[in-house]
Amino acid sequence: MSKIISSIALLQAVFDEHAGKDGDPKTLTKKEVADLLKNDNFPIEPSNQAEADQFFNMLDGDGDGVVTFREFGTFVLALSEI
Amino acid sequence: MSKIISSIALLQAVFDEHAGKDGDPKTLTKKEVADLLKNDNFPIEPSNQAEADQFFNMLDGDGDGVVTFREFGTFVLALSEI
């Protein structure tokens, strides 16, 4: 199988696992983002609400209060270049 | 290990494997893109030079003649939403 397809499928799986919990299964709420980061053992994990809000706002590119897969992927890509 | 990190590391590995072949190891040339698609068994593979040029131009977001990892990742993310 294509490694490109595998890598995006893996990212989509992480997103879908959490996006479906409440509300719109196509977007992540602030709580779903917090759960995702914790469950994924992602190396950046907010330690308080202010940091969680800040982190969410960086993810939520268009500021509409939810995070789409495109916003999530774009943010993760940007992080990979730090 | 974080699935998010794994997915980006996999995408970076595919990119780096081909970007390093000639010229700047941080960017893909048109030839390197063609090799990458072939080697990766990516489901979209140009069948002639015109299609290869068109595909490359879609990848090369800023039109500078080479493809960075950010451009590559952004394009792959966009494809995942088709």
Side-chain angles (χ1 to χ4, degrees):
Chain A
M1 181 175 179
S2 157
K3 286 183 193 165
I4 296 173
I5 301 294
S6 306
S7 75
I8 292 301
L10 184 56
L11 201 61
Q12 183 82 58
V14 172
F15 180 88
D16 291 344
E17 182 188 337
H18 294 279
K21 284 183 181 165
D22 55 29
D24 179 353
K26 292 267 185 215
T27 59
L28 292 168
T29 60
K30 200 171 278 191
K31 175 144 184 357
E32 288 170 337
V33 166
D35 288 349
L36 184 153
L37 296 176
K38 192 174 292 160
N39 281 283
D40 184 62
N41 299 314
F42 193 68
I44 303 171
E45 208 183 316
S47 51
N48 56 53
Q49 192 54 51
E51 280 185 15
D53 293 344
Q54 194 183 7
F55 193 89
F56 184 84
N57 293 334
M58 284 191 295
L59 269 161
D60 182 16
D62 61 6
D64 65 351
V66 286
V67 173
T68 61
F69 179 67
R70 175 72 72 93
E71 289 171 328
F72 175 66
T74 301
F75 179 76
V76 167
L77 269 175
L79 277 186
S80 70
E81 295 187 310
I82 295 174
Chain B
M1 182 176 180
S2 157
K3 286 184 195 165
I4 296 173
I5 301 292
S6 306
S7 75
I8 293 300
L10 184 57
L11 201 61
Q12 183 83 58
V14 172
F15 180 89
D16 290 344
E17 182 187 339
H18 294 279
K21 285 183 181 164
D22 54 29
D24 179 353
K26 293 267 184 215
T27 59
L28 292 168
T29 60
K30 200 171 278 190
K31 172 133 184 9
E32 287 170 336
V33 165
D35 289 349
L36 184 153
L37 296 176
K38 193 175 292 157
N39 282 283
D40 184 65
N41 299 316
F42 193 67
I44 303 171
E45 208 184 316
S47 51
N48 56 52
Q49 191 53 50
E51 280 185 14
D53 292 346
Q54 194 182 7
F55 193 88
F56 184 83
N57 293 334
M58 285 192 294
L59 269 161
D60 182 16
D62 62 6
D64 65 351
V66 286
V67 173
T68 62
F69 178 66
R70 175 72 72 92
E71 288 172 328
F72 175 66
T74 301
F75 180 76
V76 168
L77 269 175
L79 277 186
S80 71
E81 294 187 310
I82 295 174

